[in-house]
Amino acid sequence: EVQLVESGGGLVQPGGSLRLSCVVSGFSFSPNWMSWVRQAPGKGLEWVANIKPDGGVENYVDAVKGRFTISRDNGKSSLYLQMNSLTVEDTAVYYCATGSGWHDYWGRGTPVTVSS
Amino acid sequence: EIVLTQSPGTVSLSPGERAILSCRASQSVASNCLAWYRQKPGQAPRLLIYGIFSRATGIPDRFSGSGSGTDFTLTISRLDPEDSAVYHCQQYGTAPITFGQGTRLEIK
C-alpha cells in the first residue's frame, strides 16, 4: 500500500518559518518527481513546487519563489518543504504528492496557519 | 499562466443520473495534459482521469473524460451517493501547473 505521511505543520506568526516533511512508503520514491500542493481554507488546489528525482531541478509557483525551498532525501524516501517569510496568504493544508504532472498518490496533508 | 474555469459551481443530481462537469482553459492545454480529481470532505484529492481520457487505476468506467484544446468534460454516469464530492481539473502541460476552482457535486 502506498502511503505518504506529511508532518511539520502548525501555527506560526507572519514572517516565521516552518519545515514540512513527507515520508513515502510502498512506492518507488527515488526515480520519481515529487510535488507539494496546497489548499487554502474553502479554496481550490494550488500547485506549490516540484523536484526532479535527483534533486537537480526545482520548480516553484511565483507566489513562493525565493521564500520556499523543496528538497528530498532519496535514502529516506522523504520530501521536504522549507517555508520562510510566511504570510497569512500561505495558510493552507499542504499535501505532498507523487509526480510532476498528474498526481497518482497524495498524502492526507498537514495544516499550516499563519496568524499573529 | 493558464486559468481553468470549472462549471457549474455546484450541481445537485439524483442517484442513477449522469453528471457532466466542464473545465474551460484560458488557452490551449498542451499535449493532452489535463487531469481530473475527486475530493471528499476532509480527504486528499484522488486521481480519476489523466491525459484527458485515461482512467486511473481502480477508477470504474462510469467516469470518462473528453475534450480538446480549451474545453474539457468529466462525465459521471449512473451516479452513486458516494460520488458526492468536489471535482477539480488540472492542466500540467504548461508551467505553472494550475487547477480549476472546483465543482461541487451533490447527490440528492
Side-chain angles (χ1 to χ4, degrees):
Chain A
E1 180 190 5
V2 176
Q3 287 194 320
L4 291 76
V5 180
E6 301 95 336
S7 61
L11 175 63
V12 62
Q13 292 188 336
S17 298
L18 279 177
R19 187 189 193 218
L20 307 184
S21 299
C22 172
V23 178
V24 180
S25 60
F27 178 79
S28 190
F29 182 82
S30 55
N32 285 281
W33 284 74
M34 293 294 296
S35 301
W36 287 98
V37 178
R38 66 184 179 183
Q39 187 171 33
K43 302 295 185 182
L45 300 167
E46 180 182 35
W47 169 77
V48 174
N50 60 30
I51 186 168
K52 193 178 177 183
D54 65 1
V57 175
E58 304 163 21
N59 298 298
Y60 300 91
V61 69
D62 283 350
V64 309
K65 278 180 184 174
R67 300 188 300 121
F68 290 13
T69 302
I70 188 172
S71 62
R72 63 191 294 160
D73 184 334
N74 287 340
K76 295 181 178 179
S77 295
S78 293
L79 180 71
Y80 306 101
L81 187 67
Q82 177 67 44
M83 305 188 296
N84 299 329
S85 303
L86 286 161
T87 72
V88 294
E89 286 74 31
D90 297 316
T91 294
V93 174
Y94 285 73
Y95 298 99
C96 74
T98 60
S100 62
W102 71 85
H103 306 297
D104 288 286
Y105 303 104
W106 298 64
R108 297 177 68 91
T110 186
V112 171
T113 302
V114 184
S115 174
S116 54
Chain B
E1 72 175 44
I2 295 180
V3 176
L4 300 179
T5 302
Q6 293 186 240
S7 60
T10 301
V11 58
S12 182
L13 294 168
S14 298
E17 291 189 310
R18 182 175 63 181
I20 300 175
L21 310 183
S22 173
C23 176
R24 176 163 291 177
S26 59
Q27 55 188 279
S28 187
V29 173
S31 304
N32 292 351
C33 294
L34 194 287
W36 291 91
Y37 300 84
R38 177 176 70 187
Q39 186 177 28
K40 297 183 178 182
Q43 296 186 17
R46 179 181 181 183
L47 178 67
L48 299 173
I49 301 285
Y50 62 94
I52 301 179
F53 314 104
S54 300
R55 277 187 297 276
T57 303
I59 301 303
D61 60 8
R62 298 190 299 110
F63 293 84
S64 62
S66 62
S68 65
T70 60
D71 290 296
F72 303 92
T73 299
L74 175 69
T75 300
I76 311 171
S77 59
R78 305 184 301 278
L79 284 170
D80 182 274
E82 282 294 305
D83 296 328
S84 286
V86 175
Y87 291 80
H88 306 272
C89 61
Q90 175 210 23
Q91 72 79 25
Y92 48 91
T94 300
I97 294 166
T98 50
F99 290 86
Q101 84 280 14
T103 288
R104 182 177 303 276
L105 172 61
E106 299 173 347
I107 308 301
K108 299 174 187 174

